[in-house]
Structures are given as structure tokens and as C-alpha cells.
Amino acid sequence: MDPTALQGVPQSVSTGALPGWARVDELVLEAHGRYADDRTGTVADYIPVLAAVDPDLFGLALIEVDGGVHDAGDADHAFSIQSISKLFVYALAIQEHGHERVREIVGVNNTGLAFNSVMALELNGGHPMNPMVNAGAIATTALMPGATAVEQWERLREGLSAFAGRPLSLDGTVYASEAATNDRNRAIGRLLRSYGRLEGDPDEIVDVYTRQCALLVDAHDLAVMGATLADGGVNPVSGAQVVSAEVCRDTLAVAAATGLYERSGEWLFEIGLPAKSGVSGGIVAVSPGKGAVAGFSPRLDHAGNSVRAQLAIAHLSRSLGLNLFASAPAAAQHPGD
Ligand code: GLU
């Protein structure tokens, strides 16, 4: 579809509100408690240092667009953001370059292949198909403004920190562990370059990408970052306008289609929210106009998605009425109207 065909048509927004703070808090604690003993799944080990994490950690956080905070369990345990960074770097790229330019460089469709697939790029003539998997994410990182890779990294770190509402720092151990083993990502960077899809030195861009994945966050931070995307780009805790409302809409659309690796369709079917997960065990799900929920638990399913974070977010999507596709007949809700 040609997006210019909609020029001048005003963007109305989705509606609805969360129940009061106390009820939300009760449900967050209930969702955490209900899955606390689940031991299903295995911890990621392809980045060697990730395998050393305590697998029993389990944090859950919900941040409302009015700044209301709900933290449960290990919501303040720091872990490397990994792939979840892709969501926010994509938002920064659209903010910088605009909807159409970024759309030309990186597509918005699911590849149906693994997140680090080289084949997805080859099958598509070197055009990255989406920004939530490595090829598209590396091309997106290359769009960060700056004359050098160091400047691009600083801009990126500042941007993600603005989403979190506090300065984010690098986990040097995770960065070193991944930098020593990321031949595949370097291959993707060079392949992008060979297709003329990447400006600059591919190894330097992949280094910035590796750093972005090693930024430390906790579940509370992720929920604040997600709530910023739920709140038209305003961080509900710091009050800063981080990106525009249009950028949030674009970013969340891509997250809905592609945020949970090869399980994105199943996730949307069961939970009905745009979300992004990462191999260190985090997931953030965004409810536009209401807030965001983030879970952290290191045991993953086969696609690389945290098992307990999925369960807890699914619980809240259902109990708080967050699923974007759920409705009930109006006549049954207001009998006699
Ligand atoms: N840094 C990881 C990689 O590029 C991210 C993996 C992920 O969380 O999906 O392989």
C-alpha cells in the first residue's frame, strides 16, 4: 500500500483504561506468584557468559502511562538487553530519518527464519526484511547519526537511556563474550556491505550493535521503555518526549508482526500485544494508551523466548483486558441501552 494515500487523514487513537492502581498491583503480584515455580525451558548458552546466569531469577514489572509503577520479584535484577534493543534502536532510526526512508532500507515483514539467519538476507537480494532480526537490526544500527562509530554508539546509548529514563551502562563481560564469538554477525555485516545495503565499516557497525545488545537493564527499566512507546513517545516517569507518536505507531506495528522470533504469530494469537523478546530472558509487551509489561526469567523456549515472562504477560493481557483483538458484544455489556 502507498502510505502517501493517507496523507491528511487524522490519526485517532485506541481507547480504554486500566483499572485502578491497587487492582493492577494485585494482578501483577498474582501473575508473578502463579508462575514462580515453573522450571520449564533452558538458558541460552550461545553467548558463553549468558549460560552462567541464575536460572531461577524471575522479575515482572508494569508501568502505566500515568507513571504508576508495579514491580514484582526480581524486577530490579540487571541483565543485558540483547535483542530487545532492536525495538528501541528502530524507533530512534525512524525518528531520525522518517517512516519512508527507513522503510526503504529495512522491510517490515517476518522472515520466518532464525534471528541470525544469513539465508534470509540472501533470499531477498540482500535487502533486510525486518529490523527485529540481526540483518535488519545491524542495518538499523548503521542509521544512528554520528561521524564515527564512537559517536553513533554514544547517540544510541543516550537514546535508549532516554527511553529508560536513566543512564544505561554497558556490561563489559557480556560485550567481550559476544564480541569474541560473533563471527556470524560480522558475516551478516559484510554481506550487507557487499549488497550495498550498509554504509561505513561493517565491523565497526557490528561492534556498535554488539554493544547495544550488552546494555544493562532490569524488568522495571524495560517496562518504562515500553510504556514510553505506549504513551505517544513520552516517558511517563521522566516526562521527556523521546520520540514522536507516529514513531511509536510504526515501531509497535513491526513488533506485533515480528517481535517473538518464529513464534510471533502464535504470540499475537494468544496474547494480542506488540512485544519484543531477547535471549537473556526479557520480554516487553506494549499496550498502546495504557502501559507496558516486562518480564525477566532466563529459561527459554525453543524459539528463544522466556517461558515465565510469556506466561506472566499472557496472564496480565487476559486479566487486564490488554489483548488488542478482544471485544465483547456491546449489547451484552450495556443491556437495556
Ligand atoms: N546479541 C544477540 C545476537 O546478535 C542478540 C540475540 C537475541 O537476543 O536474539 O546474536
Side-chain angles (χ1 to χ4, degrees):
M1 192 193 85
D2 174 6
T4 60
L6 288 171
Q7 254 160 22
V9 182
Q11 174 76 68
S12 297
V13 299
S14 64
T15 54
L18 292 169
W21 187 92
R23 177 68 183 141
V24 176
D25 211 54
E26 194 182 340
L27 289 171
V28 169
L29 292 174
E30 184 182 304
H32 184 271
R34 183 165 172 151
Y35 304 109
D37 295 331
D38 192 299
R39 296 285 178 273
T40 319
T42 46
V43 170
D45 59 3
Y46 81 101
I47 300 172
V49 79
L50 292 185
V53 71
D54 174 0
D56 292 336
L57 288 163
F58 182 28
L60 188 63
L62 187 151
I63 306 289
E64 304 185 29
V65 289
D66 69 2
V69 174
H70 310 270
D71 287 347
D74 301 307
D76 60 355
H77 180 86
F79 57 95
S80 57
I81 188 169
Q82 295 299 334
S83 254
I84 300 172
S85 62
K86 293 166 179 164
L87 184 67
F88 299 99
V89 175
Y90 183 58
L92 295 174
I94 308 177
Q95 181 68 35
E96 182 69 25
H97 299 280
H99 176 106
E100 271 143 53
R101 174 89 183 108
V102 176
R103 174 78 181 74
E104 268 165 34
I105 295 170
V106 189
V108 295
N109 290 315
N110 209 321
T111 64
L113 294 165
F115 70 95
N116 57 359
S117 173
V118 172
M119 203 157 65
L121 198 54
E122 289 283 34
L123 288 174
N124 205 34
H127 188 197
M129 280 174 75
N130 91 63
M132 300 299 135
V133 292
N134 292 12
I138 292 166
T140 306
T141 296
L143 295 175
M144 288 300 100
T148 62
V150 173
E151 281 180 26
Q152 287 181 297
W153 160 242
E154 273 313 314
R155 176 68 193 93
L156 189 155
R157 199 171 63 86
E158 279 164 18
L160 263 59
S161 298
F163 271 111
R166 71 174 186 94
L168 298 179
S169 59
L170 185 79
D171 183 328
T173 312
V174 170
Y175 165 68
S177 183
E178 188 166 2
T181 54
N182 68 351
D183 295 307
R184 180 178 277 267
N185 286 341
R186 285 202 289 266
I188 290 173
R190 286 171 179 236
L191 199 55
L192 283 167
R193 169 75 184 228
S194 80
Y195 277 111
R197 298 282 180 182
L198 195 79
E199 283 173 21
D201 180 327
D203 287 348
E204 285 184 5
I205 301 294
V206 170
D207 185 63
V208 175
Y209 166 78
T210 308
R211 286 171 187 272
Q212 85 182 44
C213 291
L215 280 170
L216 281 169
V217 291
D218 57 28
H220 174 93
D221 291 326
L222 282 181
V224 175
M225 295 171 85
T228 303
L229 292 175
D231 191 31
V234 174
N235 181 319
V237 177
S238 73
Q241 178 94 47
V242 181
V243 291
S244 71
E246 291 72 27
V247 166
C248 295
R249 183 201 59 206
D250 290 353
T251 305
L252 293 178
V254 175
T258 67
L260 269 86
Y261 305 109
E262 300 93 281
R263 296 256 162 91
S264 299
E266 274 170 57
W267 169 271
L268 205 55
F269 188 69
E270 301 293 350
I271 285 107
L273 286 173
K276 183 72 194 92
S277 74
V279 291
S280 46
I283 302 181
V284 60
V286 179
S287 174
K290 294 180 184 167
V293 194
F296 166 64
S297 171
R299 290 194 187 88
L300 311 177
D301 67 14
H302 291 303
N305 301 308
S306 168
V307 175
R308 284 192 295 191
Q310 287 183 77
L311 291 168
I313 296 171
H315 181 292
L316 289 171
S317 173
R318 187 167 284 208
S319 56
L320 286 170
L322 305 180
N323 188 320
L324 295 173
F325 305 107
S327 65
Q333 292 180 68
H334 312 286
D337 277 5

